[in-house]
Amino acid sequence: ESPNFESFVGSIIVLNALLMGAETDVRWGCWSYFEQVFLSIYVFELIAGFGRSGLFFLSCENPDVQWNWLDLTIVATSTVDSWVFPVIRAVRNEFSGADIGTAADNSKL
């Protein structure tokens, strides 16, 4: 990993944390677009790590194994929550003929 890439990802993490703080105080309909961009960057970083190291990325011999498992867990759960569940809901609603409904209704699969 190059220092430039590490700095870029570190900057993204800081920016994401700042925007999460702002999101709690400012109501704005475009926050989800930023969240999708951040998640895309995190997915890319994870794929790059696997591509660079292969299975060693999650191996106990890797000195960063704890951080890599933490990254994998956070990115995987965020991906399921942000990308997989909405697709499942959309497909289910398409085949059932139901309306999308409220956010509370959509939180249930």
Side-chain angles (χ1 to χ4, degrees), residues 18-53:
L18 292 172
L19 288 179
M20 285 172 47
E23 189 175 1
T24 61
D25 293 331
V26 178
R27 294 183 58 87
W28 185 42
C30 294
W31 289 123
S32 63
Y33 296 111
F34 286 100
E35 292 169 4
Q36 299 305 315
V37 170
F38 288 131
L39 182 55
S40 297
I41 293 169
Y42 297 143
V43 167
F44 174 79
E45 178 200 15
L46 197 63
I47 290 170
F50 273 112
R52 184 184 64 254
S53 302

Side-chain angles (χ1 to χ4, degrees), residues 76-91:
T77 56
S78 296
T79 300
V80 168
D81 187 48
S82 295
W83 295 345
V84 176
F85 285 167
V87 169
I88 291 171
R89 274 187 228 105
V91 169

Side-chain angles (χ1 to χ4, degrees), residues 47-103:
I47 290 170
F50 273 112
R52 184 184 64 254
S53 302
L55 291 179
F56 180 74
F57 187 74
L58 298 175
S59 169
C60 291
E61 285 81 35
N62 186 335
D64 295 327
V65 68
Q66 292 89 358
W67 289 112
N68 293 344
W69 274 104
L70 179 64
D71 284 347
L72 176 64
T73 302
I74 292 170
V75 171
T77 56
S78 296
T79 300
V80 168
D81 187 48
S82 295
W83 295 345
V84 176
F85 285 167
V87 169
I88 291 171
R89 274 187 228 105
V91 169
R92 184 190 66 207
N93 290 336
E94 181 68 29
F95 286 108
S96 70
D99 290 332
I100 297 297
T102 65

